[in-house]
Amino acid sequence: MGCIALTGLSFSLGANFSTGSDDWPALVGVDAVIFMALAYLLDNRPVLIYACVNLFIWFGGQTGYISGWGAYWLGMNYPVRFIVAGMISAGIGIAHARAGQLKRFSHFNRVYLHFGALVVNLALWFFALFGYFEEDILWYENTGERLGFSLLWAAVSGISLYLGLRRDNGILRSYGLVFLIINGYTFYFQFIAANSAEFWFLHALLIGGTLIALGFKFEKMKKFGA
């Protein structure tokens, strides 16, 4: 509640004392620094989660502000920026897990890994849906790019799943499995269902049936601790 109140105060001050720059991401960035410092001072994971949310909002907003809210900044569109940011976040998580002198903060590694894995997979999902964004190219004209990014996303999810199983890392295992399934359905809708809309009833039965089957499978795995 304190973090939320400080965020509200920051935006209230910004609204009342604005100089006309409209650089609202800077306010989020200042709050992110404060929350990050508090998270380590208090050794508090919920505060760190809030700090990470602010950090990623600042990153997306500030790079958008610098680029004039265009698609590109330093030659990178939004998904590429977040893939890089997500990889850095995951790297920080791994560093926390292996830190020697900072062992008391090792439990923070889960927060950074979660944010890193989530951001990378969401960015790749966006690429799989629209391709590498170009303002003068419509998404359905990017068939080759979308297919390539779907395969890249599947490879990333597969590697994450493999590492999660090999190193008994529940975070990597879960993200790899979940987004591999999401990728499969995304691929099906884009390249199969979209090109055979006349068989919509068959598609509905197939999608619904596989989802039910997956639900039973995961419930069984959970029940027996698999």
Side-chain angles (χ1 to χ4, degrees):
M1 292 301 296
C3 291
I4 295 171
L6 182 56
T7 300
L9 174 62
S10 299
F11 276 94
S12 296
L13 291 173
N16 285 281
F17 298 99
S18 174
T19 59
S21 67
D22 292 327
D23 188 9
W24 63 264
L27 298 174
V28 182
V30 171
D31 285 349
V33 172
I34 295 173
F35 297 143
M36 194 67 70
L38 284 173
Y40 282 89
L41 286 172
L42 302 173
D43 195 12
N44 190 300
R45 279 205 302 185
V47 175
L48 180 63
I49 292 170
Y50 198 87
C52 286
V53 171
N54 276 259
L55 189 62
F56 278 96
I57 293 174
W58 166 81
F59 177 75
Q62 194 65 42
T63 55
Y65 177 80
I66 293 172
S67 63
W69 303 108
Y72 296 92
W73 179 72
L74 295 181
M76 299 187 295
N77 65 13
Y78 278 103
V80 176
R81 301 177 205 178
F82 278 97
I83 288 176
V84 174
M87 292 173 64
I88 292 173
S89 179
I92 294 173
I94 294 172
H96 273 70
R98 297 181 177 180
Q101 296 179 347
L102 298 176
K103 202 65 177 179
R104 58 173 294 202
F105 299 121
S106 61
H107 61 291
F108 282 179
N109 80 92
R110 294 179 58 82
V111 177
Y112 290 111
L113 274 177
H114 271 296
F115 271 92
L118 178 63
V119 168
V120 168
N121 278 285
L122 289 179
L124 288 171
W125 192 2
F126 190 94
F127 274 136
L129 286 170
F130 301 105
Y132 192 84
F133 180 78
E134 296 280 0
E135 293 183 357
D136 58 340
I137 298 179
L138 300 176
W139 71 270
Y140 52 80
E141 297 175 328
N142 279 341
T143 303
E145 286 187 5
R146 289 186 289 121
L147 178 59
F149 280 116
S150 293
L151 296 176
L152 175 62
W153 186 21
V156 170
S157 297
I159 292 171
S160 179
L161 180 59
Y162 171 77
L163 291 176
L165 291 170
R166 185 178 179 85
R167 301 187 178 185
D168 194 25
N169 187 306
I171 297 175
L172 293 177
R173 183 172 64 245
S174 298
Y175 277 97
L177 179 60
V178 168
F179 281 99
L180 196 60
I181 294 171
I182 293 174
N183 189 5
Y185 283 109
T186 301
F187 180 90
Y188 183 86
F189 277 114
Q190 285 202 103
F191 300 106
I192 299 177
N195 295 312
S196 54
E198 63 275 13
F199 298 113
W200 66 268
F201 188 72
L202 179 61
H203 295 313
L205 287 175
L206 189 60
I207 294 298
T210 54
L211 283 171
I212 292 173
L214 284 170
F216 279 117
K217 176 66 175 177
F218 290 142
E219 280 293 327
K220 186 176 180 180
M221 291 171 62
K222 183 179 179 181
K223 181 178 179 180
F224 292 100

